[in-house]
Amino acid sequence: MKTQITTRRLLIFAISAVVLFYLYACINALGVAAPDDLARAATFEAVFWILAASAGASLLIDKAPGSLVKTLLVIILFVFVFEITIANRAHYNNIWSGDKAGLSYNFMKQELSQYGADISMQGISYYPEYESFVGEGDNLSVTFGGLDRSVGSIYIEPNFDIITDENFKLMQYQVIFSDKDMTSKGTPANNLVRNLPESNHAEINPMGAVSSLTITFSGTVIFKSITLNAVIPLSVYTLRILILTLIAFAIYLLVTRDFSVLLFDNKSVRQNLGFLTLIVLLAAISLFITASASVTEENSAFAYPYDYMVDALQEGRLNLDMNIPEALKTMENPYDFSARSALGIPYFADQGNGALEFWDDAFYNGKVYMQHGIVPVVLMYLPYHILTGNYLPNAVAISFFTIAAGIFLMLLWRAISVKFLNKMPYVFFMCGAAAVYCCSLITVNLHMLRKYEMSSAAGIMFVALGMYLLFQAVFKKENLSYVRLGFSAFSLALSVGCRPSMLLSSVILVVLLLPTIIKSGKKTAITTIAVTIVPYIVVAIPLMLYNYFRFDSIFEFGGSYIISTPSLMALKQVNPAGKFLMLLQGVRDNIFAPLSLLDIFPFVNGSTVTRGFEYPSVFYNGVAGIINFPVMWLLCTILIAFRKLKEVSPELRRVLIALPITAICIAGIASAMVGMAFRYQVDYMWMFALAALICAYFVWERFENKALITKLLSSAFVISALPCLLIPSESGGMIFKPEIYYYLSRVFSLY
């Protein structure tokens, strides 16, 4: 039943809006001089959510008939009340625990002796030309002694404006105080964040009056004033309201709706629009992650080799134009990290306009070569530079490849669903599409926009495109499509030119086509083999020549000559038993290694499992075992799906087994050859995810209570997908720009 708009409801809405706005304005003005200052509360965010909450209040008061719109508006009402009360607890706590006389200490140079407080500074001086206090070092502090007053908050007014370096965005500080309990207490380390005014406030919770209070700083600090007992503003975070509203609304739908009724129909315009909307939403989230990345071309020397490779190709050479220390050229073994360090050879050569690190680039015969794939340079970076005269930003290339990879994986899931799993509920299909996008871990490449993530993003895009075209070639029509098959093979071959390890993904192509080739006639078999092999040859010949002209070997991509630590050259000294042990450890960790759970944003981090660094070539920088994702647990039912597919599709049956086996092999080989990192998992996590979704369908099919199993499986898909968006390219470190990171931290910490 639709909710009708009547004059009575409009009147109740208007009254509700006035009452809520006045209530919000009064709450917002608590502790300030003018409690009736409505302009202080009239921000766009506040007014918008007050109006939405008022609509919910009017429908609730008037007892309007139930509908999804009414439910949503009522939820917004309760979420808004939660937002301005519990979520802003520091606003109220500060008022009730602050100085009852309303006094505050404004720490300016001309006021040092006022208020009877003993104020002292260490390592900080006042600079009149900046009208600011400035300090630099590790032992910086401002101390308020002899207070004997109630203190509930600290306000520090930073002066970022005089800092010309845009990368300078944080000033770290900590508050330490003594109270009536006569014990020293302190807050966690905090940061003043550029362009985030909320970070200027800090809440403290003393036991009684504070006798002394010290604010310690580290690094560089520049501030205009420090105020005690300044009112912490009431903050309305739209993102938090949206998230809580969506969670509450999703729970309501789970409880009240039967999602098994609406089946997936690939010909439905409305369902296809819903699928397109999901693609746009995931692409938008990916672009947000890219725009918020903490490591970019501006602050990392690991981002530049593609630009230098563009210059090299235009000048008719294959080596990177770098200033190489002479000592490195004359070393007997330039790959020995200890020997390089002893000679004082740095990690990178300064190029004036930025440091191009030849760390993890190849050094051979006195020249430096790009060790990462050439295909992105030829297909994107070089054409862009020729057309525009500018260098293509990594952010553009990596986000394009990542989003494209996600879309092709979703289309692959859709193609399989249309052909073989067409009885599934629409919600099951949509949640599965989101899971295959996120659980493939492709978004880990968006957090750090470097050469490593570039090659990974490009490689997985070509693999995803190749697999989608492969399934379309084999299953779209009764007869094999040679055009799609040829482009599929070409795309899979290009992935090798991005990351050589991607070659193992072609096992799926062999598994899918080999029985067809064997059973078909001689002419068909020869045609199929030719259409498959020729694209690989077309790509392989230029790649082999590229390798030969650089390293005198058609099979050497540069991994044997990289400047790194530990050196991959040392891997040759490990005996076969040791390499096999490393392989087994890699398989173990990729299955069972747990993610570290945090009680603060982003809530997940790299695995705490360590490999012990048994061999010098081991590289460990975080890994997420598939056990972390509920959707992957369904791989335990793979035998059920295997038996069912015997009747449905022998071809898909073989692929179902090949997917996880190939993924395990890639994981083990990568661990034995290089090591482990989240970005390495991008090569194969999509295989686990797709196989798990196929298994999930046959689990759903076996249950009689379709409504319940649909809700359980769909929820498992979503729960698996969400953490994947927050997993970084490498374990530890900040995954967003400081202002974004601390904004999100406040959104999710209810402060």
Side-chain angles (χ1 to χ4, degrees):
M1 183 181 295
K2 295 183 178 180
T3 302
Q4 300 294 323
I5 299 177
T6 64
T7 303
R8 171 185 169 84
R9 287 176 186 160
L10 286 175
L11 180 61
I12 296 175
F13 168 76
I15 295 173
S16 300
V18 171
V19 171
L20 280 175
F21 185 77
Y22 182 76
L23 174 64
Y24 174 77
C26 290
I27 292 174
N28 186 71
L30 286 175
V32 300
D36 58 342
D37 185 7
L38 298 183
R40 176 184 168 90
T43 64
F44 173 79
E45 286 183 301
V47 172
F48 176 85
W49 291 112
I50 285 172
L51 293 177
S54 300
S58 64
L59 293 173
L60 194 62
I61 294 171
D62 196 46
K63 298 181 180 179
S67 68
L68 289 180
V69 175
K70 175 189 173 181
T71 302
L72 182 60
L73 291 173
V74 170
I75 288 173
I76 290 176
L77 169 64
F78 285 105
V79 170
F80 180 75
V81 172
F82 173 85
E83 176 70 16
I84 64 175
T85 54
I86 297 175
N88 273 273
R89 59 174 181 77
H91 177 69
Y92 306 96
N93 186 48
N94 165 240
I95 293 168
W96 292 328
S97 65
D99 195 309
K100 303 304 180 185
L103 296 177
S104 65
Y105 299 99
N106 190 267
F107 181 40
M108 300 296 289
K109 181 175 176 61
Q110 63 270 28
E111 299 174 349
L112 289 179
S113 61
Q114 295 184 15
Y115 305 112
D118 179 16
I119 304 174
S120 61
M121 295 181 294
Q122 180 178 340
I124 298 175
S125 303
Y126 182 75
Y127 286 75
E129 62 270 28
Y130 301 138
E131 296 184 348
S132 300
F133 294 88
V134 180
E136 188 169 7
D138 295 327
N139 298 309
L140 310 176
S141 65
V142 177
T143 299
F144 293 81
L147 288 174
D148 196 27
R149 292 183 181 275
S150 178
V151 179
S153 70
I154 312 294
Y155 172 74
I156 305 174
E157 183 184 5
N159 190 0
F160 283 102
D161 295 337
I162 67 174
I163 304 294
T164 57
D165 183 5
E166 289 297 322
N167 291 321
F168 182 78
K169 298 181 178 181
L170 299 176
M171 299 184 197
Q172 191 176 82
Y173 73 96
Q174 184 177 15
V175 181
I176 301 172
F177 57 90
S178 296
D179 53 26
K180 285 294 186 182
D181 192 39
M182 301 304 292
T183 57
S184 180
K185 300 179 176 65
T187 65
N190 289 315
N191 285 280
L192 302 172
V193 185
R194 186 192 289 262
N195 300 324
L196 189 64
E198 299 95 320
S199 67
N200 301 348
H201 294 267
E203 176 193 15
I204 65 173
N205 292 285
M207 299 179 66
V210 173
S211 56
S212 66
L213 183 146
T214 299
I215 305 171
T216 63
F217 300 92
S218 61
T220 300
V221 60
I222 304 173
F223 62 89
K224 291 184 175 181
S225 66
I226 296 177
T227 304
L228 307 185
N229 288 336
V231 174
I232 297 177
L234 191 69
S235 301
V236 174
Y237 289 101
T238 292
L239 180 60
R240 182 161 57 202
I241 294 177
L242 286 173
I243 291 172
L244 292 177
T245 299
L246 288 175
I247 292 174
F249 193 59
I251 293 174
Y252 168 80
L253 293 177
L254 278 174
V255 173
T256 61
R257 293 292 191 272
D258 182 358
F259 295 115
S260 64
V261 176
L262 180 62
L263 298 180
F264 170 54
D265 179 6
N266 68 301
K267 297 180 180 179
S268 169
V269 175
R270 297 180 68 176
Q271 289 193 15
N272 287 331
L273 284 175
F275 181 62
L276 179 61
T277 301
L278 178 62
I279 290 176
V280 172
L281 175 62
L282 292 172
I285 293 173
S286 299
L287 290 174
F288 170 77
I289 296 174
T290 305
S292 306
S294 62
V295 178
T296 64
E297 288 100 329
E298 288 75 24
N299 58 18
S300 174
F302 288 110
Y304 283 105
Y306 290 100
D307 296 346
Y308 281 84
M309 195 66 216
V310 167
D311 292 339
L313 292 178
Q314 287 193 309
E315 295 172 9
R317 53 184 169 80
L318 298 177
N319 64 295
L320 304 179
D321 185 15
M322 297 181 60
N323 295 326
I324 305 170
E326 289 298 325
L328 186 69
K329 297 179 182 179
T330 58
M331 286 184 65
E332 180 180 352
N333 182 11
Y335 312 105
D336 187 329
F337 173 72
S338 299
R340 292 199 309 268
S341 300
L343 293 175
I345 297 175
Y347 286 7
F348 59 87
D350 191 358
Q351 298 296 297
N353 62 340
L356 172 63
E357 298 200 29
F358 55 75
W359 197 255
D360 287 342
D361 283 313
F363 181 74
Y364 183 73
N365 284 345
K367 295 180 180 180
V368 174
Y369 297 94
M370 188 177 74
Q371 188 259 334
H372 295 80
I374 188 66
V375 167
V377 178
V378 175
L379 296 185
M380 285 194 72
Y381 283 83
L382 182 60
Y384 182 87
H385 186 67
I386 293 174
L387 293 174
T388 67
N390 300 315
Y391 295 105
L392 179 67
N394 279 0
V396 174
I398 294 176
S399 59
F400 169 80
F401 283 128
T402 298
I403 293 171
I407 292 173
F408 288 128
L409 288 175
M410 293 173 72
L411 290 175
L412 175 59
W413 163 242
R414 186 179 186 275
I416 294 174
S417 300
V418 170
K419 184 69 177 180
F420 304 109
L421 318 177
N422 48 23
K423 295 180 182 180
M424 70 172 65
Y426 180 60
V427 169
F428 184 106
F429 164 74
M430 291 287 284
C431 292
V436 76
Y437 187 104
C438 298
C439 293
S440 62
L441 295 186
I442 56 174
T443 55
V444 306
N445 288 325
L446 302 176
H447 291 292
M448 305 177 79
L449 308 175
R450 307 170 303 175
K451 56 188 178 183
Y452 313 107
E453 289 76 22
M454 178 65 249
S455 60
S456 174
I460 189 61
M461 193 283 288
F462 285 114
V463 167
L465 173 60
M467 289 299 162
Y468 171 67
L469 291 175
L470 176 62
F471 273 72
Q472 290 288 80
V474 175
F475 298 121
K476 181 73 173 179
K477 298 179 180 179
E478 292 186 6
N479 297 323
L480 184 67
S481 171
Y482 291 119
V483 174
R484 290 191 180 94
L485 178 60
F487 279 110
S488 169
F490 184 67
S491 183
L492 291 171
L494 287 175
S495 71
V496 181
C498 302
R499 276 178 62 81
S501 60
M502 294 291 186
L503 179 62
L504 294 174
S505 300
S506 297
V507 170
I508 307 300
L509 181 146
V510 175
V511 169
L512 199 55
L513 291 181
L514 189 59
T516 302
I517 294 173
I518 294 174
K519 294 178 181 179
S520 61
K522 184 177 181 180
K523 182 178 180 181
T524 302
I526 293 174
T527 303
T528 303
I529 293 173
V531 170
T532 304
I533 291 180
V534 168
Y536 278 92
I537 296 175
V538 169
V539 174
I541 290 175
L543 284 179
M544 288 179 174
L545 291 174
Y546 173 64
N547 290 338
Y548 181 78
F549 290 137
R550 295 186 302 160
F551 306 116
D552 300 318
S553 170
I554 61 175
F555 299 111
E556 179 58 62
F557 285 86
S560 298
Y561 302 109
I562 66 171
I563 299 295
S564 185
T565 179
S567 171
L568 292 183
M569 298 288 284
L571 183 61
K572 298 178 180 179
Q573 307 302 319
V574 180
N575 61 56
K579 291 181 181 180
F580 183 69
L581 176 61
M582 294 167 67
L583 185 148
L584 293 180
Q585 289 174 323
V587 172
R588 176 201 67 190
D589 289 358
N590 275 275
I591 296 176
F592 298 110
L595 284 169
S596 299
L597 298 180
L598 309 174
D599 59 353
I600 58 174
F601 180 82
F603 308 116
V604 294
N605 202 342
S607 166
T608 56
V609 174
T610 59
R611 296 180 44 162
F613 294 91
E614 296 91 342
Y615 300 100
S617 61
V618 172
F619 170 78
Y620 183 90
N621 214 326
V623 63
I626 61 175
I627 197 172
N628 294 284
F629 312 108
V631 64
M632 304 293 190
W633 302 349
L634 294 160
L635 288 170
C636 296
T637 66
I638 194 169
L639 292 180
I640 296 175
F642 186 72
R643 288 196 297 267
K644 295 290 291 186
L645 281 172
K646 183 178 181 181
E647 307 168 0
V648 178
S649 170
E651 296 89 350
L652 187 61
R653 187 184 190 216
R654 292 192 297 271
V655 171
L656 177 63
I657 295 298
L659 283 171
I661 293 177
T662 304
I664 289 172
C665 291
I666 296 175
I669 293 172
S671 300
M673 293 180 64
V674 182
M676 286 184 287
F678 292 123
R679 63 178 182 271
Y680 298 161
Q681 293 187 275
V682 176
D683 295 357
Y684 50 83
M685 283 295 285
W686 69 271
M687 300 181 186
F688 285 128
L690 191 62
L693 289 174
I694 296 172
C695 292
Y697 174 79
F698 292 103
V699 170
W700 173 85
E701 200 174 53
R702 286 171 62 92
F703 270 73
E704 293 185 6
N705 191 339
K706 299 299 185 186
L708 177 61
I709 192 62
T710 300
K711 293 177 181 179
L712 290 176
L713 291 176
S714 300
S715 299
F717 297 165
V718 174
I719 292 172
S720 300
L722 292 178
C724 297
L725 299 174
L726 298 173
I727 295 177
S729 177
E730 293 182 358
S731 178
M734 189 180 297
I735 60 175
F736 293 109
K737 292 177 180 177
E739 61 270 30
I740 302 296
Y741 175 82
Y742 286 102
Y743 171 82
L744 294 175
S745 296
R746 288 173 178 270
V747 166
F748 288 104
S749 65
L750 301 181
Y751 168 58

